Amino acid sequence: MSQPFIIPFTEGSMEQKHLMGGKGANLGEMTQAGLPVPPGFTLTTAACLEYYENGRTLKSARKDEIRKALDALEEKSGKKLGDPANPLLVSVRSGAVISMPGMMDTVLNLGLNDETVQGLEGLTESPRFAYDCYRRFIQMYGDVVLGIPHYRFERVIEEMKEERSASSDTELTAADWQVVIERFKDMVKEETGQPFPQDPTEQLERAIIAVFDSWNNQRARIYRKIHKISDDLGTAVNVQMMVFGNMGDDSGTGVAFTRNPSTGEKVLYGEFLINAQGEDVVAGIRTPEPIAALSNRMPAIYDAFRDISRRLEAHYRDMQDIEFTVERGNLYILQTRNGKRTAHAAVKIAADLVEEGVIDRRTALERVDPEHLDQILHRRVDPDARLNVLTKGLPASPGAAAGKLVFDADTAERKSQEGEKVILARPETTPDDIHGIVASQGVLTSRGGMTSHAAVVARGMGKPCICGCEEARIDLKAGELTIGETTLREGDQLSIDGGTGHVIQGEVPLIDPELSVEFQRLLEWADEFRRLKVRANADNSEDSQTARQFGAEGVGLCRTEHMFMEADRIPLVRDMILAETADERRAALDQLLPLQQGDFKGIFQAMDGLPVTIRLLDPPLHEFLPNLEELLTELVQLRMNPDADRREIGEKEELLRKVRALHELNPMLGHRGCRLGMIHPEIYAMQVKAIFQAAAEVIREGASVEPEIMIPLVGHVNELKEMRKLVEEVAEQVESRTGQSIPFSVGTMIEVPRAALTAAEIAEEADFFSFGTNDLTQTTFGYSRDDAEGKFLHHYIDHKVLPENPFVTLDTDGVGRLVSLGVREGRRIKADLKTGICGEHGGEKRSIQFCHQAGLDYVSCSPFRVPLARLAAAQAAILHSSEPDTDSSAKIG
Ligand code: ADP
Ligand code: MG
Ligand code: MG
């Protein structure tokens, strides 16, 4: 059956949303429920698509259909399009299937011309209303249909106001508007070479076409890209009889939410303007009044509106965003839709609606977008604060921070010890800066991407970070940060918002993240539905505690290298790496051991009773040494300085030799992961010893721990076999020395394709698999992530070579296939093989959905994403459960 081209509101409903768009379908549904909606009809998305297929022209048969729909509308309204005595005026409104508020175009007051405007004149005491409507129409039509920029019209109005010494539009009289209209018409003629179209039918057809075309305007395209909406859907067009909020003081227009969209509180929330037309509320020319004031201004209207808003919310079972207009004491509803809301409000409203018996738990869980929760789970900028945004960088780690500007790690540390809050700004950071990052509230770098050192470290710490902020020029020598015309010096107040990338001058007020009662309730419901367990990636006891508070069921990834990077460890780690003899190396390791042991103890205590997976040292050793180029520069400078200390030069030269020796052409594929343990078993042995000694202590103190020792980057079963032997030997030693038996298991990361392909063999030696999907993505695609993101990946995504950034959303077709294969093959050999994922994908909703389907036991993500993962895991379980949906749609009550 062919799709209808036009549907009158009287026959529309939500079932037709795919054809009528959201706005049209809701107008239909409200019309059928008997709500006061001005009559009209919808040209469907099918009509839009046909228009495009037909070379962007309307078929003449379609024009006939429009005429017929118009006849019906004229009959219903008792007015006629183009009738000078009693003109029908209409609005031509866009409305896509997925709401894209404000992105496409709308034309109001269509049908006005030099004659029909006179028909309007008699309707009000003063003719001002008629000419105000006409000039608005020429303005909107000129902008939307004729492509004359909006400001050109505004300029004419400004001139008029100057001539009349008027401070606002409202002071202009009917006669003034008549002059403006003539000037508008002249401008249209000049710009387009044609007079302003006087034939209402022509006006209508061209407006419809313009709205179809607005589907492809730039802002709509960008909006669709950001929100991943298909470009092929097209928009519907609603043609509706105009009602007028600008007919006097018994008229007005407004917008209201049925609940507060920023807090979720159950109160009518919105604004209205007396004697105004729709766009005035948004345009900000006059300050609207809060909706509550309507109860004094127009009590009967207020009551009627409140009543309708309740009915609408009950019908749609969700918070509504409602547009209304009052024409001479008569209330009209012009639009309703599910209202956009902050994450806070989303959580509260979903939980409240369950308590109110409006929706069930399942529906509540489906209503909240896990990605959105990021907003709640970090310190954030007080939404009521006024901001002086200086520039924008990459939002590398969410959350907001404020403090005094510092330019080096040592100063950051010193000031923070003195009790100051600081923001560390660097061109980029290196492991040498870790203590500064730890000491600061947040980090700003002018170079580097989302995976730069600063970004990764900051995310790991849950610390706000903005990277690659190219407009921020950092002059380390002068101690200055210059952005545009603003220059800030050390000690100046600066704020950053790592969620938006905004760099803000001064100290903005921040609010703490908190799990509201409603949020906790929602998460408890999520726990009832989900099958996947949720663990956290945590490298210290603080993160482990945070994770546990957020509901983590263990640690899925403890990265031991972060422990090595702490300020007091780096010299020891360097000694270990630079050691010339085995004795020297052992001495350095002996000093590191108690420090690591302390770290593990803290984590075990925080995770009492829960599993903790610890990955042995993974990154190549040169990451702990200074950067080769920097070292070279330093050395050159030292050598050129006649007063330089000979010994210092000698030490630097020695360091340089070692850095050169460890230098790799391809570090991502180089000497790292278990390859380190194979060549330097003493390093792994030290780590394992620290783990078991910590476990023994904690067990003796009465806690229960079960370390899971994880060997990274295994590609061949023999690697795991050898490392497993090493772990077991150390375990035996510690057990016999402490007399304490320690339950533990040994497993591996699956992060190179060969490991997934030979999972059956590897499973013989493994108690668990943890899919390291960051590296597995790199090695499956053959991309080095840092190079890819800096060079070609964005082009690939922009040009849809890749549907998605595979480092953000798991590539299910490729990488995911390896994961599924690994799980299947592994379980074939060991039915009880524990499986999880510990890449950054473990905290991303679509990847979590995949993990659910692939049958993994758990996902692991950063502590702050644990609540999000709990919710996403519940949604995955709901999506793939066969239970029928209980929410059937009813009619408006
Ligand atoms: P958007 O999708 O950008 O919100 P709309 O189609 O809702 O655009 O139109 C914007 C505003 O124009 C509405 O909020 C309303 O105030 C006004 N408007 C639209 N249609 C009519 C109408 N038939 N009568 C009076 N005002 C209207
Ligand atoms: Mg609207
Ligand atoms: Mg890895």
Side-chain angles (χ1 to χ4, degrees):
M1 210 188 79
S2 70
Q3 306 275 35
F5 183 76
I6 290 181
I7 303 174
F9 293 169
T10 46
E11 289 165 26
S13 72
M14 282 311 273
E15 270 129 61
Q16 319 245 46
K17 186 171 166 190
H18 62 292
L19 283 171
M20 298 183 77
K23 195 184 290 169
N26 282 321
L27 286 169
E29 192 131 336
M30 290 192 292
T31 302
Q32 295 219 41
L35 296 189
V37 174
F41 57 88
T42 305
L43 282 89
T44 61
T45 52
C48 180
L49 298 182
E50 186 194 78
Y51 161 80
Y52 277 106
E53 273 159 28
N54 200 36
R56 291 180 48 204
T57 44
L58 285 176
K59 290 186 179 169
S60 67
R62 300 312 185 197
K63 293 184 182 174
D64 295 344
E65 280 187 58
I66 294 174
R67 184 62 250 176
K68 246 189 261 155
L70 208 52
D71 287 343
L73 182 56
E74 287 177 342
E75 171 129 18
K76 185 159 284 158
S77 66
K79 305 176 194 180
K80 269 188 161 0
L81 194 71
D83 179 357
N86 187 18
L88 170 69
L89 302 188
V90 294
S91 62
V92 179
R93 318 171 63 187
S94 56
V97 175
I98 300 168
S99 138
M100 299 168 41
M103 293 300 120
M104 290 177 296
D105 293 324
T106 287
V107 179
L108 303 182
N109 303 341
L110 187 139
L112 279 172
N113 58 27
D114 294 349
E115 288 180 359
T116 51
V117 71
Q118 290 164 17
L120 233 52
E121 254 186 83
L123 293 180
T124 50
E125 244 166 63
S126 142
R128 186 184 186 282
F129 160 72
Y131 292 98
D132 185 27
C133 286
Y134 193 17
R135 67 92 189 169
R136 285 173 192 265
F137 171 52
I138 301 176
Q139 244 175 299
M140 286 185 108
Y141 191 91
D143 175 13
V144 172
V145 183
L146 304 175
I148 303 171
H150 187 65
Y151 72 86
R152 299 282 310 271
F153 295 101
E154 286 300 328
R155 207 178 278 162
V156 174
I157 297 177
E158 285 309 312
E159 279 165 18
M160 193 66 208
K161 285 200 292 196
E162 264 165 47
E163 285 167 33
R164 296 289 180 268
S165 314
S167 61
S168 86
D169 291 6
T170 45
E171 290 169 39
L172 296 181
T173 63
D176 296 336
W177 285 130
Q178 276 171 297
V179 176
V180 167
I181 287 165
E182 287 314 310
R183 290 181 188 171
F184 278 1
K185 286 200 290 195
D186 289 345
M187 191 168 84
V188 167
K189 180 107 193 261
E190 222 167 85
E191 285 288 316
T192 65
Q194 304 282 333
F196 186 79
Q198 293 286 317
D199 172 12
T201 310
E202 180 194 340
Q203 290 175 354
L204 180 61
E205 282 173 6
R206 291 179 68 185
I208 289 170
I209 285 174
V211 174
F212 280 156
D213 284 340
S214 75
W215 172 254
N216 277 324
N217 71 31
Q218 202 189 1
R219 58 176 197 270
R221 285 179 158 277
I222 292 172
Y223 185 92
R224 287 200 293 273
K225 197 165 160 187
I226 294 171
H227 292 89
K228 304 207 164 75
I229 300 170
S230 159
D231 284 331
D232 310 327
L233 298 172
T235 181
V237 177
N238 303 290
V239 177
Q240 185 178 35
M241 183 187 88
M242 283 298 301
V243 290
F244 297 98
N246 53 341
M247 284 185 106
D249 286 343
D250 55 356
S251 305
T253 184
V255 181
F257 293 82
T258 54
R259 299 179 191 229
N260 183 321
S262 92
T263 64
E265 198 194 343
K266 193 179 178 183
V267 288
L268 207 51
Y269 179 95
E271 310 177 312
F272 74 100
L273 268 175
I274 296 285
N275 195 11
Q277 212 174 22
E279 70 272 18
D280 296 348
V281 178
V282 195
I285 300 166
R286 286 163 56 198
T287 311
E289 297 180 57
I291 196 82
L294 192 64
S295 63
N296 301 327
R297 298 286 221 119
M298 300 178 173
I301 295 285
Y302 179 80
D303 289 346
F305 180 71
R306 205 186 39 193
D307 198 51
I308 288 174
S309 75
R310 283 186 187 147
R311 277 173 69 191
L312 287 174
E313 189 182 273
H315 174 65
Y316 290 103
R317 301 179 186 199
D318 200 357
M319 186 258 268
Q320 295 297 296
D321 167 1
I322 306 169
E323 297 174 3
F324 67 95
T325 282
V326 182
E327 179 184 300
R328 295 192 149 162
N330 293 307
L331 173 65
Y332 294 94
I333 305 297
L334 294 175
Q335 186 172 351
T336 192
R337 64 179 160 217
N338 293 341
K340 302 237 180 275
R341 62 204 79 179
T342 63
H344 272 278
V347 166
K348 179 162 168 59
I349 291 170
D352 284 353
L353 288 175
V354 172
E355 300 295 309
E356 291 165 26
V358 178
I359 57 175
D360 57 17
R361 292 177 177 191
R362 237 169 103 112
T363 310
L365 290 167
E366 286 167 326
R367 287 270 174 91
V368 179
D369 181 354
E371 292 302 317
H372 216 152
L373 294 179
D374 241 11
Q375 268 185 18
I376 309 187
L377 294 166
H378 289 89
R379 277 173 76 81
R380 57 201 177 100
V381 175
D382 184 339
D384 296 330
R386 286 188 157 273
L387 304 183
N388 179 13
V389 176
L390 296 173
T391 182
K392 213 175 149 184
L394 298 173
S397 176
K404 293 196 166 146
L405 188 58
V406 295
F407 295 101
D408 66 278
D410 293 339
T411 314
E413 191 174 52
R414 187 167 43 78
K415 293 226 166 168
S416 105
Q417 279 161 1
E418 289 164 7
E420 302 240 47
K421 289 189 177 2
V422 298
I423 300 283
L424 177 63
R426 299 280 304 164
E428 63 204 345
T429 65
T430 69
D432 279 335
D433 297 318
I434 294 281
H435 58 297
I437 299 179
V438 172
S440 56
Q441 303 298 307
V443 182
L444 168 69
T445 71
S446 53
R447 291 203 287 265
M450 301 286 281
T451 55
S452 62
H453 178 266
V456 172
V457 172
R459 276 201 296 275
M461 296 181 188
K463 208 159 262 211
C465 176
I466 297 177
C467 284
C469 187
E470 282 160 16
E471 265 187 75
R473 287 194 309 282
I474 297 173
D475 185 338
L476 292 177
K477 263 213 200 93
E480 282 177 0
L481 166 68
T482 308
I483 301 170
E485 317 242 286
T486 311
T487 295
L488 301 174
R489 290 184 186 79
E490 187 177 301
D492 287 350
Q493 282 289 348
L494 186 72
S495 302
I496 59 172
D497 184 337
T500 60
H502 286 151
V503 180
I504 307 152
Q505 188 167 19
E507 184 178 9
V508 299
L510 303 179
I511 42 187
D512 269 331
E514 86 249 14
L515 291 192
S516 62
V517 185
E518 291 87 0
F519 195 9
Q520 308 222 24
R521 196 173 294 147
L522 195 77
L523 288 174
E524 279 161 26
W525 298 337
D527 297 345
E528 290 169 17
F529 282 88
R530 70 187 162 94
R531 180 192 61 74
L532 278 172
K533 292 215 174 276
V534 177
R535 297 197 194 180
N537 299 349
D539 307 332
N540 55 49
S541 61
E542 268 168 47
D543 286 357
S544 305
Q545 275 159 13
T546 311
R548 197 163 190 168
Q549 271 164 21
F550 283 149
E553 296 159 297
V555 169
L557 175 64
C558 169
R559 302 182 205 92
T560 49
E561 61 269 21
H562 285 180
M563 302 171 172
F564 279 15
M565 279 178 181
E566 306 243 317
D568 56 333
R569 320 278 170 88
I570 278 268
L572 294 176
V573 174
R574 286 193 180 159
D575 286 350
M576 170 192 89
I577 298 170
L578 298 174
E580 289 296 336
T581 65
D583 278 348
E584 269 177 46
R585 170 158 294 165
R586 212 167 302 119
L589 285 169
D590 283 347
Q591 280 185 278
L592 276 170
L593 186 131
L595 300 174
Q596 282 239 294
Q597 188 172 327
D599 296 332
F600 293 130
K601 210 178 151 186
I603 296 171
F604 291 149
Q605 281 164 336
M607 284 290 159
D608 183 4
L610 297 173
V612 176
T613 306
I614 299 161
R615 177 178 73 185
L616 302 185
L617 194 64
D618 182 54
L621 295 180
H622 61 70
E623 283 199 9
F624 301 100
L625 296 181
N627 175 286
L628 178 61
E629 274 158 37
E630 278 171 22
L631 200 57
L632 267 176
T633 329
E634 269 178 52
L635 200 55
V636 169
Q637 274 166 355
L638 273 178
R639 281 180 182 150
M640 287 192 325
N641 178 357
D643 305 328
D645 182 350
R646 289 281 102 207
R647 223 194 49 220
E648 195 187 344
I649 295 184
E651 277 171 10
K652 282 257 157 56
E653 281 170 342
E654 181 53 29
L655 189 59
L656 180 67
R657 198 180 55 73
K658 198 78 190 186
V659 169
R660 280 215 168 107
L662 287 173
H663 183 71
E664 292 177 317
L665 286 181
N666 218 332
M668 207 254 308
L669 301 174
H671 193 184
R672 51 175 292 226
C674 67
R675 301 158 202 168
L676 283 175
M678 296 290 286
I679 304 299
H680 307 293
E682 65 279 6
I683 301 180
Y684 274 20
M686 179 279 285
Q687 293 196 297
V688 176
K689 194 167 161 191
I691 294 167
F692 286 137
Q693 290 185 2
E697 272 186 54
V698 175
I699 294 172
R700 207 175 312 119
E701 288 164 16
S704 122
V705 290
E706 188 180 333
E708 301 175 341
I709 311 291
M710 181 153 78
I711 311 297
L713 221 69
V714 164
H716 194 287
V717 62
N718 287 344
E719 292 170 319
L720 182 60
K721 203 184 255 174
E722 196 164 323
M723 291 298 102
R724 181 177 194 110
K725 211 166 99 220
L726 179 130
V727 173
E728 283 168 351
E729 276 167 17
V730 176
E732 229 166 85
Q733 287 164 15
V734 175
E735 286 189 335
S736 78
R737 209 170 46 237
T738 60
Q740 181 73 60
S741 95
I742 304 158
F744 69 94
S745 56
V746 181
T748 180
M749 308 257 307
I750 303 286
E751 50 185 342
V752 296
R754 195 181 187 286
L757 294 167
T758 60
E761 285 153 49
I762 292 178
E764 302 272 8
E765 298 292 328
D767 304 318
F768 62 87
F769 283 174
S770 176
F771 291 88
T773 49
N774 291 352
D775 272 334
L776 192 56
T777 301
Q778 295 203 86
T779 52
T780 301
F781 276 92
Y783 296 166
S784 134
R785 179 172 178 175
D786 284 342
D787 294 324
E789 290 194 335
K791 301 214 163 66
F792 59 86
L793 196 55
H794 291 297
H795 174 93
Y796 270 34
I797 296 159
D798 285 348
H799 292 79
K800 305 198 169 150
V801 178
L802 293 179
E804 211 94 50
N805 182 341
F807 293 105
V808 175
T809 303
L810 191 81
D811 158 50
T812 48
D813 295 343
V815 179
R817 230 171 134 193
L818 284 171
V819 172
S820 301
L821 176 76
V823 174
R824 215 171 38 242
E825 286 289 285
R827 292 231 178 101
R828 190 162 60 81
I829 299 303
K830 239 181 220 164
D832 60 347
L833 185 81
K834 229 195 258 182
T835 56
I837 178 179
C838 64
E840 278 177 67
H841 299 109
E844 195 270 337
K845 66 173 174 184
R846 276 177 296 164
S847 311
I848 292 173
Q849 195 180 317
F850 168 80
C851 293
H852 174 90
Q853 279 177 288
L856 296 187
D857 294 309
Y858 68 87
V859 296
S860 187
C861 57
S862 89
F864 290 98
R865 293 183 85 85
V866 166
L868 175 170
R870 286 163 72 189
L871 178 61
Q875 289 181 347
I878 290 170
L879 190 68
H880 297 286
S881 74
S882 50
E883 232 183 283
D885 202 337
T886 49
D887 257 20
S888 64
S889 72
K891 292 286 159 209
I892 299 176

